[in-house]
Amino acid sequence: MILFEEVVKRYPGEYVALAGVSFEIRHGEFVVLSGHSGAGKSTLLKMIPVIERPSSGTVRINGQDVSRLRAAAIPYLRRNLGLVLQESRLLFDRSVFDNVMLPLVITGHPPRDAARRVAAALERVGLKGRDREMPAGLSGGEQQRVAIARAIVNKPSILIADEPTAHLDRAYAREIAALFKSFNEAGVTVLVSTHDSELFAHHAPRRLVLGKGILIGDSE
Amino acid sequence: MTGWLYLHLRAMAQAIRRLATHPLGTLLSAMVVGIALSLPAAGYLLLDNVASLARGVSGTPEISLFLATEAGAAEVKAIEERLGSEAQVASYRFVSREEALRQLEQSGLGDVLGGLGSNPLPDAFVVSARGDDPGVFERLQARFREWEQVEHVQLDSAWVERLHALLGLGRSAVLLLAALLGFALVIVTFNTIRLHILTQRHEIDVSRLLGATDPFIRRPFYWFGGLQGLLGGLVALATVWLTVKALAAPVESLAVSYGAVFSLSGPDLRQGASLLAFASFLGWLGAAISVRRHLAERLR
């Protein structure tokens, strides 16, 4: 489903973020990507929705080489991925409903069906009935839940999260980790990066460890 | 098709919301666009009125064909037949030498000719051409000159040509003014859209991450530019209409004092629609250039 083959990412100044990383994630897996800050976790995750392209090597999603994808085709790839970034990246001048609705607006969903999906996604993340609230009035954990609802509203087959619990206290972080587990149990392939691998230890059976751009561990 | 329409309606609604969010800014932009556009629009309308006045006053410019004094009835008939078959001749009338003498006597110049003993005036045809194109008059004049028994051809269109030249100059000036002010309006919209892109860069980036295509991101800006232009066009239309209403009575009085009948008219439905379409196009163009310039980097 997700295949990295000898992926190298070199930034200007010859800084090497990834130095020949190879692994495969199969359909329905829950994988945690761990490592210290600067290990290359974010860079690796950015390769999947083509926010970054590899300097060399290949990234394949469902057999398709996305590292050489035309710019015009990238949006259509991203619509099939659920993305949760380190910061919630919500639109603070829009309501919770409008934020979660955005991916459906982008894909041109009929409004009535879209509203049903938004309600279902919010219920899934425990924010039922909070759709008219503004993000600024929510706690950090709730904002991250809104971001997760936005990521799953399009029913993606792959969910990618970059440090989704980075700014949350322990209780909120556990709730978020359990939420990802529930998506995985529903059949979604989940790849989560974290510097706190213990948090996901009993949710994710597989753990990839990055160190200075090199894959130094794979629990498989 | 339905999805495409939905996305456009949504982009339009988004653009209207943005315009409504800053009513003062929207009003000021519309005023700037409107006042700038009203100048060439008023100039065009004035020229249009003068041109219709000129058409009315000049009626059908005339060409006089003076025949040779020895031309007999058969030659006169032959020329009349040739005139009848000329496609660009609208009408003609024959002025016999006797009638010409009579007209001269009535004008008070009979005494001058009295001493000559015989009528020195030739038979003549007075010809009206179709349309008011000076080129047609000149071509007809050149052709008539070659006809037998035609001694002299006089084209009475010098003033028409001067008027046409003046109208042409006026049209060029209005066109130049429209181009210059149109360019200014494109710049105004360009800058407005640039500021919108800057303030919405977060939303643009988030939308991109969620799978928004370039057209999805660009569309609301195009609508915004087009609608801002349309609002400016409405201001221009209202300005020109009010100006015409305000000046109609004084202009009519002035015309009457010169013994003429003239009243300012317009803008009519076609002119109004053209102005609105032109203004919308300029707004869209400014937005398109700005989006191309400022979104290019964000959309890579």
Side-chain angles (χ1 to χ4, degrees):
Chain A
M1 190 155 210
I2 301 172
L3 180 64
F4 275 61
E5 292 175 314
E6 290 300 324
V7 173
V8 174
K9 181 63 185 178
R10 212 174 284 114
Y11 286 107
E14 290 306 297
Y15 170 71
V16 180
L18 295 175
V21 174
S22 300
F23 64 86
E24 184 179 8
I25 296 173
R26 285 171 295 277
H27 176 74
E29 275 195 288
F30 189 158
V31 179
V32 165
L33 180 65
S34 64
H36 295 294
S37 292
K41 303 189 295 294
S42 294
T43 305
L44 188 149
L45 290 186
K46 284 177 182 171
M47 301 273 172
I48 298 170
V50 202
I51 298 169
E52 297 277 4
R53 289 182 193 263
S55 307
S56 66
T58 307
V59 179
R60 291 182 189 277
I61 311 287
N62 293 324
Q64 184 185 23
D65 182 357
V66 299
S67 43
R68 283 160 192 81
L69 207 58
R70 289 181 304 118
I74 294 171
Y76 301 98
L77 167 77
R78 290 180 184 168
R79 290 176 188 188
N80 293 316
L81 302 172
L83 290 177
V84 182
L85 301 171
Q86 199 164 342
E87 308 84 33
S88 60
R89 302 201 77 165
L90 299 178
L91 304 178
F92 282 81
D93 59 342
R94 309 276 177 88
S95 67
V96 166
F97 179 88
D98 287 339
N99 269 279
V100 180
M101 181 81 152
L102 190 56
L104 301 172
V105 171
I106 287 169
T107 49
H109 259 75
R112 200 173 293 174
D113 175 54
R116 265 200 301 271
R117 282 205 189 196
V118 171
L122 285 174
E123 188 173 357
R124 192 79 199 277
V125 299
L127 290 175
K128 187 181 176 185
R130 311 280 299 272
D131 53 344
R132 295 291 153 209
E133 292 183 33
M134 300 303 279
L138 303 178
S139 68
E142 287 169 334
Q143 287 177 12
Q144 196 61 290
R145 282 166 184 268
V146 175
I148 293 168
R150 189 179 63 187
I152 61 160
V153 76
N154 251 340
K155 298 183 179 170
S157 55
I158 301 172
L159 186 58
I160 296 155
D162 186 10
E163 300 276 8
T165 58
H167 304 297
L168 303 180
D169 62 32
R170 203 68 187 162
Y172 277 134
R174 278 200 198 97
E175 286 178 18
I176 298 291
L179 205 52
F180 280 111
K181 179 64 184 169
S182 72
F183 296 137
N184 177 241
E185 284 168 352
V188 180
T189 306
V190 179
L191 175 59
V192 179
S193 84
T194 179
H195 62 274
D196 182 4
S197 52
E198 259 183 50
L199 186 67
F200 290 90
H202 57 277
H203 293 309
R206 186 173 169 199
R207 183 178 159 205
L208 299 173
V209 186
L210 273 180
K212 293 184 178 173
I214 299 166
L215 191 64
I216 54 175
D218 185 347
S219 65
E220 189 180 51
Chain B
M1 181 66 184
T2 315
W4 178 86
L5 189 65
Y6 166 70
L7 287 172
H8 265 283
L9 286 174
R10 189 197 154 274
M12 187 180 72
Q14 202 175 334
I16 291 171
R17 261 200 311 276
R18 277 178 196 164
L19 286 166
T21 309
H22 308 287
L24 185 64
T26 301
L27 181 70
L28 289 176
S29 295
M31 294 292 281
V32 169
V33 173
I35 290 168
L37 269 183
S38 64
L39 290 173
Y44 171 81
L45 200 64
L46 183 68
L47 282 175
D48 198 44
N49 274 278
V50 172
S52 65
L53 173 71
R55 273 195 295 275
V57 171
S58 65
T60 47
E62 293 172 335
I63 304 170
S64 300
L65 279 72
F66 297 102
L67 308 190
T69 46
E70 64 271 20
E75 284 88 357
V76 169
K77 190 164 174 47
I79 289 173
E80 190 173 0
E81 280 170 4
R82 289 185 79 172
L83 283 172
S85 63
E86 275 288 339
Q88 286 177 318
V89 169
S91 66
Y92 61 87
R93 70 175 195 281
F94 177 65
V95 182
S96 68
R97 51 201 308 232
E98 292 78 19
E99 190 184 339
L101 183 63
R102 226 174 10 256
Q103 284 177 0
L104 204 62
E105 284 169 348
Q106 281 169 2
S107 71
L109 293 171
D111 294 345
V112 177
L113 300 169
L116 294 175
S118 62
N119 181 1
L121 299 176
D123 288 328
F125 280 96
V126 179
V127 177
S128 298
R130 290 187 198 283
D132 55 2
D133 178 6
V136 171
F137 305 136
E138 281 169 13
R139 280 196 293 278
L140 281 175
Q141 184 188 27
R143 207 174 305 154
F144 294 156
R145 270 192 190 127
E146 291 168 4
W147 290 3
E148 279 182 30
Q149 299 298 332
V150 173
E151 192 81 8
H152 179 65
V153 181
Q154 187 176 308
L155 174 60
D156 184 24
S157 68
W159 76 271
V160 177
E161 282 176 26
R162 276 197 288 273
L163 183 64
H164 272 278
L166 275 174
L167 285 174
L169 182 67
R171 279 193 196 100
S172 301
V174 165
L175 204 65
L176 190 66
L177 191 66
L180 278 173
L181 291 171
F183 182 63
L185 300 186
V186 168
I187 292 172
V188 167
T189 316
F190 177 91
N191 199 43
T192 309
I193 296 293
R194 183 182 70 86
L195 294 173
H196 276 283
I197 290 172
L198 281 176
T199 54
Q200 287 165 30
R201 60 186 184 279
H202 177 62
E203 183 180 342
I204 292 168
D205 292 345
V206 169
S207 299
R208 280 188 61 218
L209 285 173
L210 297 175
T213 57
D214 289 5
F216 179 89
I217 291 171
R218 288 175 172 157
R219 220 174 273 133
F221 294 111
Y222 292 159
W223 273 103
F224 185 92
L227 286 172
Q228 184 173 275
L230 181 69
L231 288 175
L234 284 169
V235 171
L237 194 59
T239 307
V240 172
W241 186 79
L242 287 171
T243 306
V244 167
K245 287 286 158 213
L247 292 180
V251 166
E252 203 167 338
S253 301
L254 185 69
V256 168
S257 73
Y258 279 94
V261 179
F262 175 65
S263 59
L264 279 176
S265 65
D268 59 24
L269 195 65
R270 185 186 58 80
Q271 290 166 333
S274 301
L275 178 60
L276 294 181
F278 182 61
S280 303
F281 169 73
L282 288 179
W284 174 87
L285 184 66
I289 298 170
S290 189
V291 163
R292 195 178 180 81
R293 168 80 179 76
H294 298 109
L295 273 184
E297 204 173 290
R298 305 205 80 80
L299 295 178
R300 286 290 165 271

